Amino acid sequence: MRAMADANEHDVTFESTDSGSAMTFPLQCSALRKNGHVVIKTRPCKIIDMSTSKTGKHGHAKVNLVATDIFTGRKYEDLSPSTHNMDVPIITRMEYTLIDIEKNTNDEVKGRGFLSLMTEDGTMKEDVKVPDSEIGDKIIADFEQGLELMVTVVSAMGEEHAMSHKEAPKGNN
């Protein structure tokens, strides 16, 4: 029998790769609302329809959720007791000035290049891909026409996507 634990036994180092903030928060299923957000099958989704079934003689009322992935548009459904907690993704929207579009020069890599974006304080952000969609096509076309563009980037659960863009307002200087 050991009388005392080794001194090194409790020296544990925890490494963190983010700011320590949570990517989701719990919310009781009955408190969710249409057009709100929820995590279904580990994906951040927007609720497009929800219905509540009556309490049966053996248990809780159930909430049937129909939602679409905010990034891919894929449809998901979930059924959960109304008293259970579900995760709600923390979603942030940031607007950036588009500085350049980096073309994908590697033939082996499928997809498009990256957007060179700048925050209001002048910090560069170059890790957002050009969307593989009509939005991406329109960003490229408008940029090649010489328009000054603002790009809206939506972040949730460690993913970031350029979701929309608009022409930058004139005469801010």
Side-chain angles (χ1 to χ4, degrees):
M1 244 190 180
R2 281 190 326 185
M4 219 163 105
D6 290 338
N8 293 337
E9 186 176 328
H10 298 290
D11 286 348
V12 180
T13 303
F14 292 98
E15 290 184 23
S16 177
T17 57
D18 61 15
S19 63
S21 61
M23 292 190 283
T24 62
F25 63 92
L27 187 65
Q28 190 166 327
C29 199
S30 59
L32 295 170
R33 297 287 172 254
K34 190 173 175 178
N35 294 325
H37 294 91
V38 67
V39 176
I40 299 178
K41 294 185 173 71
T42 71
R43 299 296 303 160
C45 297
K46 182 174 184 169
I47 300 167
I48 56 173
D49 192 33
M50 65 185 289
S51 58
T52 306
S53 65
K54 298 261 186 262
T55 306
K57 66 177 179 179
H58 297 296
H60 303 284
K62 300 263 193 283
V63 176
N64 184 36
L65 296 167
V66 179
T68 54
D69 187 308
I70 64 170
F71 296 128
T72 67
R74 183 173 171 201
K75 194 173 184 179
Y76 289 95
E77 288 192 45
D78 198 7
L79 188 65
S80 178
S82 63
T83 56
H84 285 201
N85 281 345
M86 290 192 75
D87 286 333
V88 175
I90 296 171
I91 298 171
T92 57
R93 285 180 196 282
M94 291 287 295
E95 245 184 27
Y96 298 94
T97 303
L98 179 60
I99 303 301
D100 196 11
I101 298 176
E102 200 161 305
K103 303 282 190 279
N104 187 353
T105 55
N106 187 345
D107 292 337
E108 295 171 22
V109 178
K110 296 265 189 260
R112 298 184 172 173
F114 289 86
L115 302 170
S116 287
L117 304 168
M118 187 171 64
T119 61
E120 279 186 16
D121 68 4
T123 306
M124 292 302 292
K125 179 171 185 55
E126 299 178 317
D127 59 351
V128 178
K129 283 187 179 174
V130 176
D132 261 336
S133 64
E134 281 182 38
I135 293 169
D137 296 342
K138 189 90 174 96
I139 290 172
I140 291 169
D142 288 353
F143 185 74
E144 286 176 349
Q145 283 183 12
L147 297 177
E148 246 185 77
L149 301 175
M150 299 296 292
V151 176
T152 301
V153 176
V154 174
S155 306
M157 299 179 64
E159 267 186 70
E160 288 186 312
H161 292 262
M163 300 298 276
S164 65
H165 75 291
K166 64 184 179 188
E167 196 171 345
K170 303 251 187 277
N172 272 4
N173 302 344

